[in-house]
Amino acid sequence: MSDYELIKESPLGGAEHEFDGVTVAEVIDQSLVMVALPRDRAVDIESAMGESCGLSIPAMGQSTKSSDASVTLWRLQKNQVLAYFSYDGDDAEVNLAERFDAPAYYTDQSDTWGMIRVSGERSRDVLERICPIDLDPSVFTLGSVSRTVMEHIGTIIFRDGDDSYVLLTMRSFSRSMLHAIEVSVKNVL
Amino acid sequence: MSQINRIDGGLIDQEKVLNFTFNGQILKGYEGDTLASALLANNKHLIGRSFKYHRPRGIVTAGSEEPNAIMEIGNGAYKEPNTRATVTQLYNGLEANSQNHKGPLSFDFMAITDFLSPLLGAGFYYKTFMWPKGFWEKFYEPAIRKSAGLGTLSTEADPDTYDKGFRHCDILIIGAGATGLSAALTAANSGAKIILADEDFLMGGRLNSETNEIDGMAGSEWAKKTVAKLGAMENVTLMSDTTVFGAYDHGIYGAIENRASEAREDNDKPRQVNWRIYTKRAILCAGATERLIAFGNNDRPGIMFASAVRTYLNRFAVATGQRISVYTNNDDGWKTAKDLNAKGFRVAAVIDSRSISPVMRVPGAEIYMATDVVDTKGRRALKSIQLSNGKSIDTDTLAVSGGWNPNLHFTCHHRGVPKWNEEIASFVPDSSPPVGMSVAGRAKGTMVLADAIIEGHNQGSCVAADLGYKTSESKPASTPVVSYNISANWGVPSGKNRAWVDFQNDVTAKDIKLANQEGFKSVEHVKRYTTLGMATDQGKTANVLAIGIMAENMGQTMEDTGTTIFRPPYVPVAIGAFAGRRRGMEFYPTRYTPSHNWSTEQNAIFVEVGMWYRSQWFPLPGETHWRQTVDREVRQTRSSVGICDVTTLGKIDIKGEDVSEFLNKVYANAFAKVPVGKTRYGLMLREDGIAMDDGTAARMSENHFVMTTTTANAVSVYRHLQFCHQCLWPDLDVHMISVTEQYAQYAVAGPNSRKLLEKIVDPECDISNEAFPYMAAGEITVCGGTAARLFRISFSGELAYEIAVPTRYGDSLMRVLMEAGEEFNVIPYGTEALGVMRIEKGHAAGPELNGQTSAYDLGMGGMISGKKDFIGYTLGLREELQRDDRMQMVGFKPVNTSDLLLAGSHLLGLRDKATTENDQGWISSCIYSPILGHYLGIGFIKGGHNRKGENVRAVDLVRGNDVEVEICSPHFVDPEGERLRV
Amino acid sequence: MIINHPLLGPRDSEEFVYLGSTDLIDRPTNWEKSAAAEDFHQYQYIRENIAGDIQELWYHEQGDQSWLVVTRSTLTHEISNVELAQDFSRVKGRGK
C-alpha cells in the first residue's frame, strides 16, 4: 500500500444549474476512448465489434449503439471512431479494448474532454448563440454528432435526446465553455 | 400644446403614452411611434444642423435612408451618436439630443460657415489647406476635426452588451413589405425553412404607410394578418427590427437585431444581436427609396419626401403641417395630396414638373403642371415656396417626390453593377446578383404594387421549387392596379441659391458641376472629390440624383455616366455588435492547468501563455520582489527539488506500424532506431530549412510513441504532422491523437527528484539510475496502482523527470508531490524560474526559434542527419543557410558581473556608434542567474560560433543600457551535462 | 465562406485553416540527386498566380482534421469541388 492517495476530480466538479426552460449540467459518468481504424483492418474491426458488442461503424456525423446500449460510437473522422460509454474507472482504454476484442488502436480520451449537457425546451434557443451548426431537429437528428468551434473553443456536440445536447470541449476550456453557455442563458431567457 | 400635430388613428396605441426628452425638453409620444414621428407630432421640425454649413435641418424621411435626423441617444456611457430618429422605436425615458451645433439648436454659432460657403465648395480641403506646408497637421486638420464630424462619442467604455448568433434557413427573405410577405407565403407553404427579416419593428413595409387595399382590406390589415399567419408556421422565423446588412460568400448574410421592444429599457439584455444567417437562397424584397429634386434651398425644415409625409400621416397619425404642398415628377407624389384630403386636410398646391394633365382631382388645391419649385423661404421652418411661373405659395410642409430608387444594394455586394432603366428613371439590379439571390418587387424595379405582389408570390414558389420543395397552386393577393409614370427631373436652375443633393455631406448641385468642370468625370472621382454619398446614409437619397445631374452637366446618358456600387454594411453597424460578447476576459477563452486551483491557494502569480493561464511564480510571505521569489525557486530546485506544471506542452500520441519511419521523416535527427523505453530529443524543421519546433518523442512500445511539442506550437505542429501524413505519405500506418489534456504532467527537477518520486511511485516500479537512466521513458503506477507515465528528461539541466497521470488526478498529484516532498523542502516553481534554468542551460526556446534560424544557427548542425530525407533537409543545405557569418546563437555574459543585461539589446563593436549599419545582432533571452550571481543572456551575433571570448557591447537605447559583454558558450550551467545523469 | 466537405457537408470556413496551393503535395523525392536543390526550390517557392480556378489546401482543424483539396475561383470565390487530400495525394501516386 502506498502512503499517498490520489483523488479524482471532474473538470467542473459536477456543476449543475437549472434555469427556466434549460438545465446545464456536467456529465461525469461517461468515458471516452478513441478507436483508430487502420485502412486495411477496418472491415475486420467492424465485424469483430459487431460480434462482441453488436456495434457497427456509424456514418459520418452519426452514432451507433451497442446491443446493450451501453456504448455509443461517434463518427467524427474517417479513420477513427470515438466510443462514449458509461464507465468511470481509470482504465477505460483497457476496458473498452476487452469489450470490443477488435484489432484497432485504442487511446483513452476520458480526461481530455469536459462534458456539459444542455437540455430543456429552450436548449436550442440558448445554443444558437454559440453553435454554428444547424440544430434544427429535422437536420441534426437524434444521435447526430458534430465537431465544430464555439466561442473559439473546439467543441463536439452530440444530440442525446429530443431537447438534450452534450457539449464536449478540451478539459482546460471547460470553465470557459460553461461560462459561454451561461452567458447565452442570461441573454436569451 | 402637447402633440399638436397628432390626429386620430394610425398604427400606434394612443392609449399608451410614452415620455421622452429632446434637448432636455420633456415630450410625449405613443407606443408604436418612432422618435421621428413623436418629434413631428410635437411639431419639432428643426432637429439638427448640417455637417459642413450648419444649416438648420429637419426630418426628411421615415426610414433608414434618413440623412438629417441623426441624433445622440442616451446619456453618459450609454450615449450613442448618429442614431437615425426615423428608425428608433420610441420608449419611455428615451433621451435624444441634436448634433452638430454650438450653443442652442435654434442659434448655432457655427452657422457662420453657411455665410462663408462661397469659400467652401467642392474640393475645398484640397485647395484651401495646402499651404503653408506643415500647417495641415498642426493647424488645419485639428480645427476642421473640431468643427466638422458628426456626433460625439461618450469616450467611456460601452456599457451595453452585444451578442451574436447563428441561424440557418432554406430561404431568407429580406424585407417584409407586400412583395416579401407574398414571397414568404408561397415559399413557406412549400415547407421550406424560411427566415423573414425586416428592419422595421412593424412588418408590412409601405403597406403600413399607404392606403392601398389588398384582398378587400386595408393593406396594413392584410400585412398584419399575413404576418400572424406566417408566425404560426413551424418552418418560419420572423425577425422584425432586424436589418440585414451584408451579403457574404456562399449564401451567408449578416443581420443586426435590436433588443425586442418589450425589453427596450432592459440594459441587462444585449442591445443588439449580430446574426450570421446561413441560407440556400435569398429573395431580396427591400422595396425602394424615394429621392429628392434639386432646387434652390430645398433643405429647409419642413421639406420632406412625399412618401414620408404619407407615412407620418397614415401610420403615425401625424400631420406634418397645416398647409402642405406637393412637388412631384411622378404619379406617386399625388397620393400624398389624396391621402391628406382623405384625412380632411386641405392641400395648398400640387406642382408637377411634367407637361401632362393633372393625375387626379385635388379639391381645394392649386394645381400647377409643367411647373417647378425654384426657391423656398423660412430659415428654421419652411414658410413659402417660389415657383418657376413666378408665383409664391405660403406652405409649411413641402412633400417632394423625385421618383423612386430600387433598394438594390445587396445585389452589388459581390460587385454586380446596376443598370439604367429609362421607364422608371432609375437603376435596377443587374443580372448577376450574389449567387443564390433573386430580387422581386420594387427592389427589382417593379413599381406597380399589384405586379410586385405577383412577382413576390411567384418568386417565393419558384425558389422553393428550385430547392426541391413541393409548391401548391395559390393565388397572389389582389389589389387594384395603380400605374406609376415618371419623367426624370434632376433639378431646376437655381441661380445663386444652393440646390442640395446630399444633405448629410452638404453637397450641392453646384459642387457637382464644379467637380465636372475641373475634370472629374467618373462617378467614383466625383464621389471622392465632393464627399457625395459618404457618411452614415451612404447617399441612399443622394446618389441617383447626383448621377442625373452629372449626366446633364456632361451631356451624356445615364448609362454612360454609370453608378457607384454598394458594399456592406447596408446601414452603420456598431463595432460593439461585431465584437459581440468577446470583450475583456472573453476576448478569447481561458485554459486552466490541472494545478490551477492549488496554485491559486498558494497565491501564485499567473501569466497568460496563449490561451493558457500558467503559474509564473509562487511568492512566499515576506518576499517583496518577483526576483526574490524566482531566485529562491531556482536555487531550491538546483539544490534540492522543485515541481513545475508542464501540462501545457503539446503531447501527441502516435500509434501505428510506421510511426518510427514517420518520425524519421518529420524530425531532422535520426529516429528510425529509438529503442522501446527511450526518449529522444527531436528538432523539427520547416521545409525551407528553418527551425520550426523542438521537443521529445518517447517510444512506449514498438508501435507507439508519445511526442511532446512546445506549448506555443502544440496546435501548429499537430496540423503540420497531419499535413505530412495525409498529403505527403498517405499510406503510412500512423494514427495521431492529441493527449495534451489527457495527462496532467509535472516536471520534478533537482538532485532530490528521484528520492521524492520513489516515495510515490509504487515499489514494483524500479526508477533507480540503473533501471531508469537518463532519457528513459515508461509506464509506471503511483500511489497504489494509478497508471502513470514517467520520462527522465530535463529542461533545467538537473536530474529531472516528467511524470504524467490522467488529468482527473492532476490536482491531487500536485498536492501529493508537495506533501511527499516536504522532507526535501520541495518548492513549486513557475514559468519564470523555468525560463531562468533553461537559459542557464542554453536551451533555445520561442525567442530563438523565431522563424529565421536554421539548425546551424542554433548550434545544432551536428544533429542533422545526412542519411535520410526529412522535411527541411534539401533546402536546409542551401549555402546561404550554412554561412559562417550568419546570426548564430551564442551566450553572453557581462564583463563587469554587476552590470545589468537586457533582452532586446543590440550588439555592437566596442567602439562602434549605435547605428543600424553597425548592428551585429541581438540578445534574445536574458535573465539574472542566481547560481552564477550575474546576468546572462543568449542571443544572435554574426559568426558567433567562432567568436567566443571576444568582447562586444550590448546596447539598449530605449532603456538606456550600454554594457560590455563577452561572447561565450550558451551552456552556462553544467555544460557537460553531468548532473542529468546522476 | 462555406466549404462543402466531402464527408461532412457544408461547413463554415471559420472551422478551417488555409495553407496554400496543392503544389505542396508534389514534394520531390529526389533528395539524393543533384537536381534536388532546384526541384525543392520550385516546390517550395514557385507558384502560378491564376485568375480562375485554383486548387488549394484547407485543413479542417475544428472538425474532422482532414486536409482538403478545394477548387476555388480566385475571381468569384465559387468553390466547384472539394475532395480529401489523402485521396488526391494517392491519385498523384504518393504512398509511403
Side-chain angles (χ1 to χ4, degrees):
Chain A
M1 273 303 290
S2 175
D3 297 338
Y4 302 97
E5 189 195 356
L6 291 176
I7 300 158
K8 68 179 169 187
E9 194 180 69
S10 73
L12 291 166
E16 183 163 354
H17 304 287
E18 293 243 13
F19 303 94
D20 192 15
V22 173
T23 302
V24 180
E26 186 182 9
V27 177
I28 48 174
D29 56 354
Q30 300 289 314
S31 285
L32 289 162
V33 171
M34 186 62 93
V35 184
L37 315 168
R39 211 152 68 106
D40 51 359
R41 274 186 258 157
V43 178
D44 298 344
I45 292 168
E46 185 163 22
S47 68
M49 288 189 325
E51 212 159 288
S52 59
C53 305
L55 268 166
S56 60
I57 293 182
M60 285 296 282
Q62 299 299 320
S63 57
T64 50
K65 274 196 171 148
S66 60
S67 36
D68 66 354
S70 67
V71 182
T72 304
L73 279 189
W74 295 341
R75 187 81 180 279
L76 293 157
Q77 286 159 288
K78 192 180 174 196
N79 303 318
Q80 294 180 323
V81 285
L82 193 53
Y84 170 80
F85 59 109
S86 305
Y87 187 73
D88 65 353
D90 291 352
D91 57 343
E93 187 177 311
V94 176
N95 180 283
L96 191 85
E98 281 171 3
R99 284 206 229 181
F100 275 17
D101 193 23
Y105 295 110
Y106 301 88
T107 307
D108 195 345
Q109 292 273 281
S110 309
D111 291 26
T112 299
W113 301 90
M115 306 186 224
I116 304 171
R117 181 177 285 113
V118 180
S119 57
E121 55 181 4
R122 299 294 304 277
S123 52
R124 278 183 292 277
D125 296 336
V126 167
L127 289 172
E128 76 173 351
R129 296 296 172 99
I130 56 173
C131 176
I133 299 282
D134 189 357
L135 298 181
D136 186 304
S138 66
V139 177
F140 200 72
T141 49
L142 205 61
S144 291
V145 63
S146 192
R147 185 167 171 168
T148 181
V149 61
M150 302 187 197
E151 291 301 293
H152 293 300
I153 306 172
T155 307
I156 294 172
I157 180 165
F158 169 58
R159 183 172 171 207
D160 72 340
D162 282 344
D163 296 322
S164 180
Y165 300 85
V166 180
L167 271 59
L168 288 81
T169 61
M170 293 272 182
R171 185 180 176 115
S172 66
F173 286 110
S174 299
R175 289 193 210 181
S176 290
M177 179 46 82
L178 180 62
H179 178 72
I181 295 167
E182 286 174 348
V183 171
S184 298
V185 167
K186 176 176 167 285
N187 286 350
V188 172
L189 299 183
Chain B
M1 281 281 282
S2 176
Q3 307 198 47
I4 56 165
N5 288 340
R6 188 76 74 175
I7 59 172
D8 287 341
L11 307 178
I12 53 172
D13 184 353
Q14 300 212 7
E15 300 291 299
K16 226 172 152 189
V17 177
L18 302 174
N19 292 304
F20 71 105
T21 65
F22 176 62
N23 287 345
Q25 189 185 356
I26 299 167
L27 299 169
K28 289 187 194 310
Y30 294 127
E31 181 67 43
D33 261 329
T34 60
L35 173 57
S37 66
L39 285 168
L40 287 168
N42 289 281
N43 205 31
K44 297 286 174 196
H45 272 282
L46 170 60
I47 46 66
R49 292 271 173 169
S50 73
F51 168 71
K52 194 160 137 190
Y53 299 118
H54 293 259
R55 299 263 297 182
R57 288 281 165 80
I59 296 162
V60 287
T61 78
S64 66
E65 69 273 25
E66 176 63 31
N68 282 349
I70 54 175
M71 306 200 173
E72 291 172 357
I73 306 291
N75 64 20
Y78 284 100
K79 186 168 81 172
E80 177 79 9
N82 304 332
T83 307
R84 289 152 296 155
T86 47
V87 294
T88 302
Q89 192 180 359
L90 195 68
Y91 54 88
N92 239 338
L94 184 151
E95 250 180 77
N97 284 288
S98 52
Q99 301 182 163
N100 269 354
H101 52 88
K102 277 201 179 131
L105 175 59
S106 55
F107 185 85
D108 177 6
F109 295 105
M110 289 303 288
I112 181 86
T113 51
D114 198 18
F115 299 101
L116 298 175
S117 61
L119 303 173
L120 302 177
F124 82 101
Y125 286 109
Y126 312 113
K127 293 166 185 163
T128 314
F129 301 113
M130 294 303 288
W131 58 83
K133 202 173 167 234
F135 260 47
W136 173 255
E137 236 176 78
K138 287 196 182 73
F139 178 74
Y140 296 134
E141 210 257 355
I144 292 166
R145 281 249 171 265
K146 227 173 160 178
S147 64
L150 297 171
T152 55
L153 292 165
S154 75
T155 71
E156 289 174 60
D158 185 351
D160 274 315
T161 59
Y162 300 83
D163 205 355
K164 50 150 188 37
F166 305 87
R167 281 191 178 157
H168 303 254
C169 63
D170 291 314
I171 306 168
L172 168 68
I173 296 167
I174 304 167
T179 311
L181 289 172
S182 302
L185 273 179
T186 50
N189 280 331
S190 76
K193 202 175 160 189
I194 308 296
I195 291 177
L196 175 61
D198 196 284
E199 64 181 349
D200 203 320
F201 55 87
L202 181 67
M203 288 189 163
R206 287 298 304 167
L207 294 180
N208 294 327
S209 299
E210 308 285 8
T211 48
N212 307 82
E213 247 189 29
I214 299 183
D215 282 352
M217 62 187 108
S220 58
E221 192 56 30
W222 179 84
K224 197 175 164 186
K225 285 196 167 148
T226 307
V227 169
K229 196 164 160 191
L230 289 166
M233 297 175 82
E234 282 255 310
N235 56 328
V236 177
T237 305
L238 298 176
M239 298 176 77
S240 59
D241 213 347
T242 302
T243 308
V244 177
F245 63 80
Y248 299 93
D249 280 321
H250 308 144
I252 298 175
Y253 289 79
I256 292 289
E257 181 181 28
N258 284 315
R259 199 185 279 153
S261 337
E262 60 273 16
R264 208 144 271 268
E265 294 144 63
D266 182 359
N267 286 332
D268 281 346
K269 291 287 179 225
R271 176 172 166 251
Q272 293 180 326
V273 180
N274 185 352
W275 292 100
R276 181 181 298 192
I277 304 177
Y278 299 89
T279 72
K280 294 195 178 93
R281 294 293 156 82
I283 308 176
L284 180 65
C285 307
T289 300
E290 207 164 23
R291 64 177 181 239
L292 271 178
I293 298 171
F295 55 90
N297 288 313
N298 60 345
D299 68 329
R300 300 201 189 280
I303 301 177
M304 308 172 70
F305 284 168
S307 60
V309 173
R310 295 200 295 281
T311 301
Y312 291 117
L313 185 73
N314 296 324
R315 174 173 169 185
F316 296 110
V318 173
T320 50
Q322 299 304 311
R323 283 185 58 78
I324 302 178
S325 298
V326 175
Y327 174 35
T328 185
N329 66 342
N330 65 82
D331 298 357
D332 202 64
W334 289 76
K335 278 201 246 165
T336 306
K338 185 180 155 207
D339 290 359
L340 282 164
N341 265 193
K343 298 263 182 199
F345 289 88
R346 213 187 69 139
V347 175
V350 179
I351 302 108
D352 193 320
S353 56
R354 296 174 295 173
S355 311
I356 56 168
S357 353
V359 172
M360 61 180 75
R361 284 194 55 235
V362 183
E366 298 172 47
I367 307 281
Y368 298 100
M369 301 308 292
T371 306
D372 286 303
V373 177
V374 293
D375 194 9
T376 68
K377 289 204 159 51
R379 181 132 184 101
R380 282 171 215 136
L382 181 67
K383 289 202 174 85
S384 66
I385 54 174
Q386 275 68 52
L387 307 187
S388 52
N389 59 14
K391 281 212 167 10
S392 173
I393 295 167
D394 286 347
T395 196
D396 54 5
T397 297
L398 179 63
V400 183
S401 178
W404 291 82
N405 299 324
N407 285 331
L408 47 71
H409 304 70
F410 293 100
T411 67
C412 299
H413 282 186
H414 295 180
R415 300 205 65 78
V417 181
K419 51 180 192 275
W420 180 250
N421 179 310
E422 192 64 40
E423 198 189 325
I424 64 161
S426 194
F427 288 95
V428 295
D430 84 334
S431 49
S432 57
V435 175
M437 183 192 287
S438 51
V439 193
R442 296 210 293 173
K444 197 184 181 185
T446 307
M447 306 312 280
V448 174
L449 178 64
D451 297 342
I453 288 175
I454 294 168
E455 205 167 271
H457 178 91
N458 292 342
Q459 196 66 247
S461 69
C462 255
V463 170
D466 213 29
L467 291 174
Y469 288 93
K470 272 219 175 83
T471 55
S472 49
E473 280 289 310
S474 62
K475 272 207 178 113
S478 76
T479 186
V481 174
V482 181
S483 62
Y484 172 74
N485 298 300
I486 180 170
S487 172
N489 179 4
W490 306 120
V492 292
S494 52
K496 281 203 314 213
N497 295 321
R498 280 165 296 168
W500 305 88
V501 178
D502 185 329
F503 285 174
Q504 197 164 81
N505 292 292
D506 273 353
V507 179
T508 65
K510 219 176 281 173
D511 291 328
I512 296 168
K513 191 166 189 182
L514 185 64
N516 290 152
Q517 281 168 352
E518 289 181 356
F520 295 93
K521 306 284 186 200
S522 144
V523 284
E524 299 286 355
H525 290 158
V526 171
K527 171 177 173 172
R528 279 149 188 89
Y529 192 56
T530 62
T531 71
L532 174 102
M534 297 185 178
T536 67
D537 68 343
Q538 288 286 296
K540 287 193 181 71
T541 60
N543 284 353
V544 177
L545 176 56
I547 292 162
I549 293 168
M550 279 181 66
E552 276 180 0
N553 287 342
M554 297 189 291
Q556 63 190 27
T557 62
M558 292 296 278
E559 287 94 326
D560 291 341
T561 309
T563 174
T564 53
I565 61 173
F566 305 92
R567 58 188 168 196
Y570 175 67
V571 292
V573 179
I575 297 294
F578 285 115
R581 52 169 87 165
R582 290 173 187 168
R583 291 169 27 169
M585 274 305 283
E586 288 166 72
F587 183 61
Y588 51 69
T590 307
R591 304 178 76 176
Y592 295 101
T593 63
S595 64
H596 184 80
N597 288 348
W598 179 84
S599 301
T600 307
E601 291 164 22
Q602 311 309 310
N603 300 314
I605 304 300
F606 295 102
V607 59
E608 286 182 47
V609 182
M611 292 184 190
W612 285 103
Y613 239 45
R614 294 186 75 180
S615 300
Q616 197 171 12
W617 63 81
F618 295 84
L620 288 180
E623 289 176 342
T624 55
H625 190 277
W626 67 270
R627 262 281 308 285
Q628 245 182 313
T629 307
V630 172
D631 288 0
R632 171 182 54 78
E633 289 175 8
V634 171
R635 275 200 210 98
Q636 194 76 1
T637 302
R638 291 216 185 279
S639 64
S640 181
V641 59
I643 296 167
C644 183
D645 189 333
V646 293
T647 304
T648 61
L649 272 77
K651 299 187 275 294
I652 304 168
D653 238 49
I654 313 182
K655 288 175 178 155
E657 282 162 19
D658 301 320
V659 178
S660 60
E661 195 184 332
F662 180 64
L663 294 182
N664 216 28
K665 291 175 189 290
V666 297
Y667 277 128
N669 48 322
F671 261 86
K673 290 175 188 144
V674 179
V676 172
K678 279 287 178 200
T679 304
R680 186 163 290 176
Y681 174 82
L683 175 66
M684 224 177 258
L685 303 182
R686 308 192 309 214
E687 190 68 90
D688 63 3
I690 298 295
M692 178 167 81
D693 197 57
D694 68 343
T696 62
R699 191 165 207 166
M700 307 306 286
S701 69
E702 185 60 26
N703 295 335
H704 178 198
F705 279 74
V706 181
M707 177 190 281
T708 66
T709 73
T710 59
T711 300
N713 290 331
V715 172
S716 57
V717 166
Y718 186 77
R719 184 188 306 152
H720 170 72
L721 294 178
Q722 290 288 2
F723 166 79
C724 292
H725 180 220
Q726 295 177 33
C727 298
L728 301 182
W729 301 292
D731 288 345
L732 288 179
D733 183 40
V734 172
H735 303 269
M736 285 173 266
I737 185 161
S738 167
V739 290
T740 304
E741 303 250 6
Q742 179 67 21
Y743 295 94
Q745 192 150 320
Y746 297 105
V748 182
N752 284 325
S753 55
R754 184 186 302 122
K755 284 188 199 149
L756 193 167
L757 283 175
E758 276 169 345
K759 291 179 73 177
I760 67 155
V761 170
D762 292 338
E764 53 273 27
C765 309
D766 185 357
I767 61 165
S768 67
N769 198 29
E770 297 70 37
F772 205 82
Y774 179 56
M775 296 307 271
E779 310 263 7
I780 57 162
T781 60
V782 297
C783 301
T786 299
R789 288 172 174 176
L790 190 67
F791 309 92
R792 189 165 160 193
I793 51 180
S794 175
F795 202 45
S796 57
E798 299 298 329
L799 166 68
Y801 300 81
E802 287 187 13
I803 181 167
V805 292
T807 314
R808 65 185 71 177
Y809 295 117
D811 175 82
S812 190
L813 179 63
M814 188 71 198
R815 293 173 200 273
V816 163
L817 285 168
M818 291 306 294
E819 190 190 336
E822 228 166 274
E823 64 175 291
F824 311 109
N825 288 321
V826 64
I827 50 100
Y829 65 93
T831 55
E832 208 59 42
L834 180 89
V836 169
M837 289 189 276
R838 76 104 184 157
I839 293 167
E840 285 178 336
K841 188 65 188 164
H843 287 308
E848 287 75 43
L849 305 178
N850 66 354
Q852 300 176 319
T853 48
S854 71
Y856 308 93
D857 301 337
L858 294 169
M860 294 196 248
M863 278 176 64
I864 302 297
S865 169
K867 296 187 194 123
K868 60 165 187 173
D869 181 23
F870 60 87
I871 302 283
Y873 171 71
T874 303
L875 294 176
L877 289 175
R878 285 176 295 175
E879 213 177 305
E880 191 60 32
L881 286 183
Q882 303 204 2
R883 277 167 56 157
D884 277 339
D885 62 348
R886 280 177 62 84
M887 297 287 181
Q888 293 174 325
M889 189 182 108
V890 284
F892 299 91
K893 56 187 175 201
V895 173
N896 176 353
T897 52
S898 61
D899 276 347
L900 169 72
L901 192 56
L902 293 167
S905 297
H906 281 255
L907 301 164
L908 299 163
L910 289 178
R911 271 160 295 280
D912 286 347
K913 267 185 140 173
T915 62
T916 308
E917 303 85 74
N918 292 332
D919 191 9
Q920 295 192 30
W922 68 93
I923 306 274
S924 52
S925 299
C926 184
I927 48 102
Y928 175 80
S929 165
I931 301 302
L932 300 173
H934 59 76
Y935 278 90
L936 55 88
I938 51 182
F940 295 87
I941 190 164
K942 275 179 192 161
H945 295 160
N946 294 323
R947 291 172 67 181
K948 284 169 193 160
E950 188 185 326
N951 287 3
V952 291
R953 273 156 60 222
V955 179
D956 183 331
L957 295 177
V958 178
R959 287 169 289 188
N961 200 43
D962 187 340
V963 298
E964 191 171 339
V965 292
E966 183 192 329
I967 303 174
C968 57
S969 156
H971 310 297
F972 294 94
V973 168
D974 189 28
E976 305 307 319
E978 285 160 7
R979 296 195 205 176
L980 299 165
R981 294 179 170 80
V982 294
Chain C
M1 277 176 64
I2 300 285
I3 293 173
N4 192 8
H5 192 295
L7 304 174
L8 299 167
R11 305 291 289 245
D12 195 306
S13 61
E14 234 176 60
E15 295 176 350
F16 295 80
V17 173
Y18 177 75
L19 181 65
S21 164
T22 47
D23 290 356
L24 288 167
I25 287 175
D26 303 321
R27 187 174 186 273
T29 52
N30 61 349
W31 63 283
E32 289 168 299
K33 304 277 166 49
S34 61
E38 177 54 28
D39 290 353
F40 270 90
H41 171 79
Q42 288 283 334
Y43 164 72
Q44 179 72 10
Y45 298 110
I46 306 303
R47 298 284 178 273
E48 291 290 325
N49 184 16
I50 295 165
D53 278 354
I54 57 165
Q55 288 185 311
E56 53 193 13
L57 287 163
W58 291 75
Y59 177 55
H60 199 195
E61 185 147 276
Q62 302 290 5
D64 74 340
Q65 295 170 351
S66 61
W67 279 92
L68 301 177
V69 172
V70 174
T71 308
R72 181 178 66 94
S73 166
T74 54
L75 297 175
T76 63
H77 271 192
E78 189 199 349
I79 292 173
S80 50
N81 191 46
V82 186
E83 55 193 305
L84 292 178
Q86 207 158 16
D87 297 342
F88 184 90
S89 164
R90 284 193 183 109
V91 169
K92 287 204 150 204
R94 301 201 71 93
K96 288 200 173 187

